[in-house]
Amino acid sequence: MNRRNAIASLAACALAAGAGSLLVGCFDYAKDFQLTDHNGQPRSLKDFRGKLVVVFFGYTQCPDVCPTSMAELAEAKKLLGPDGDKLQGLFITVDPERDTPEVLKGYMANFDPGFLALRGTPEQLAAVAKEFKVYYKKVEGKTATSYTMDHSAANYVYDTQGRLRLYTRYGSGAQALASDLQLLLKQG
């Protein structure tokens, strides 16, 4: 399903639910998390009310999907112009074993200094992944530290009220994401 069809489907869901705005009540998952950011501060979605929030699950040693997704998010923020300040990018690691706070902080600096990386214990990660319906699995490598992580690749987009409004698949591009974010900002 392409982005425009996803938005149309979600709008139909909202109308069927009798909601006056796009998607209220359509998602019954990905409602919140309790994780620690790369600065050591406990975080939840509530901390970002008033901003659009884009959440992506990945890991810092990912060779392609994760850096591409984060670069697209950073570009979408730039495309928003002055409204870019109303966007919070969040990267949740699926590899807390290697993705220490220091590693995550350096990784985020490659994309946007305002983006935050979040991590938790393996048990916290499992609970958040279940809540967000995210798949992840360690794939052993030739050495104990050369493993990779298979994982879902998508963005969870929240409006300024903290409601999940869009689920966008990997590879849609910065311009499409920026357009969707602009629509959400217009809706309030």
Side-chain angles (χ1 to χ4, degrees), residues 31-72:
K31 292 185 184 224
D32 206 359
F33 55 79
Q34 299 292 323
L35 297 169
T36 303
D37 73 20
H38 62 255
N39 297 311
Q41 184 172 347
R43 296 292 191 162
S44 74
L45 277 172
K46 294 174 192 79
D47 295 331
F48 306 104
R49 289 278 161 89
K51 289 190 169 199
L52 296 176
V53 176
V54 178
V55 176
F56 182 81
F57 287 79
Y59 68 112
T60 63
Q61 293 191 30
C62 179
D64 47 21
V65 172
C66 299
T68 299
S69 295
M70 295 308 296
E72 285 179 358

Side-chain angles (χ1 to χ4, degrees), residues 115-138:
F115 290 175
L116 293 172
L118 306 170
R119 69 188 300 272
T121 65
E123 296 78 20
Q124 288 172 313
L125 175 59
V128 170
K130 183 177 180 182
E131 169 65 18
F132 280 70
K133 301 182 186 296
V134 168
Y135 167 81
Y136 70 100
K137 180 182 178 188
K138 186 176 183 178

